[in-house]
Amino acid sequence: MKKIIVLASGSGSNAENIIKYFKDSANVKVSYLLSNNPDAYALKRAESLGVNTMVFSRESFYNNGEVLKFLLGSQPDLIVLAGFLWLVPQDIVKAFPDRIVNIHPALLPKYGGKGMYGDKVHNAVLQNGERESGITIHFVNEHFDEGNTLFQATCSVEPGEDRASLVQKIHALEHTYFPKVIEQLLA
Ligand code: GAR
């Protein structure tokens, strides 16, 4: 059985979608959902689907090695960042080469980097009058949104489109493709 550990900071619709996608799989299991945010709704979603959860502090992620130790002990085949907002430290990146993936709600390298997450990305896309946006699934390195791209999918941005409708389009793409890309990586 291949094991996935999901990291999420917020609502967790992608985390829930991934957990559900693999719920009856004979080959892949989401073994844990970890969050840096004790109030993340992602924790509730995971718990209600029977997935173990853990909240970790900045100290244990960046300074005392506790999260790294936990991850090494859990031996995940893949670590999935699903709306996870902290930069992954170098020791964790190094311990899991090409085994950490992130989803970003735009077509990288555009609209990526520090501080570009969630609604901030969509606002920038709309303000710049882009006619197209989309999603990027990429390997994680020690820089925000810079690891090798694995997959992109696009959607149109219509004249006068508002943020809510763009968010809906992006989430639809994410929910369709993220579990499939994960499945392919683990095959
Ligand atoms: C997703 O759209 C994801 O692409 C984005 O946060 C959202 C989380 O939604 N991630 C980033 O912006 C990372 N830079 P969710 O909590 O409903 O899955």
Side-chain angles (χ1 to χ4, degrees):
M1 184 69 97
K2 299 272 174 84
K3 274 193 288 185
I4 299 173
I5 292 184
V6 176
L7 272 64
S9 301
S11 161
S13 75
N14 278 286
E16 175 173 342
N17 183 57
I18 293 163
I19 292 167
K20 285 183 171 161
Y21 186 88
F22 292 111
K23 203 152 180 45
D24 299 319
S25 168
N27 310 314
V28 179
K29 173 188 161 71
V30 177
S31 62
Y32 253 96
L33 181 135
L34 309 187
S35 184
N36 60 306
N37 173 10
D39 299 322
Y41 189 57
L43 291 163
K44 295 212 167 60
R45 295 191 200 246
E47 281 156 17
S48 74
L49 290 163
V51 171
N52 300 314
T53 62
M54 187 178 82
V55 176
F56 59 83
S57 65
R58 189 168 277 280
E59 178 70 11
S60 64
F61 199 52
Y62 291 111
N63 297 330
N64 68 20
E66 265 177 33
V67 174
L68 173 62
K69 204 169 148 196
F70 174 84
L71 292 171
L72 289 170
S74 311
Q75 297 193 306
D77 296 281
L78 199 64
I79 297 169
V80 172
L81 312 188
F84 180 68
L85 301 185
W86 284 3
L87 184 66
V88 179
Q90 209 167 30
D91 56 354
I92 295 181
V93 172
K94 283 219 171 101
F96 297 95
D98 288 350
R99 279 195 290 152
I100 311 176
V101 291
N102 179 46
I103 191 157
H104 187 78
L107 297 171
L108 293 174
K110 285 174 127 183
Y111 304 106
K114 190 170 163 53
M116 284 304 259
Y117 56 88
D119 285 349
K120 294 190 184 183
V121 175
H122 306 307
N123 287 340
V125 166
L126 292 170
Q127 268 161 23
N128 285 346
E130 298 284 358
R131 302 265 49 99
E132 190 179 67
S133 190
I135 63 168
T136 303
I137 298 168
H138 64 95
F139 282 126
V140 169
N141 67 14
E142 53 274 70
H143 305 288
F144 273 115
D145 304 324
E146 284 186 16
N148 287 342
T149 293
L150 287 158
F151 176 88
Q152 289 189 309
T154 62
C155 63
S156 65
V157 181
E158 302 300 329
E161 177 132 21
D162 64 11
R163 194 178 67 209
S165 103
L166 179 57
V167 168
Q168 227 172 28
K169 285 181 182 175
I170 295 291
H171 265 134
L173 289 176
E174 293 182 334
H175 295 168
T176 300
Y177 292 111
F178 203 11
K180 293 191 173 125
V181 172
I182 292 167
E183 192 170 41
Q184 276 166 19
L185 279 172
L186 291 172

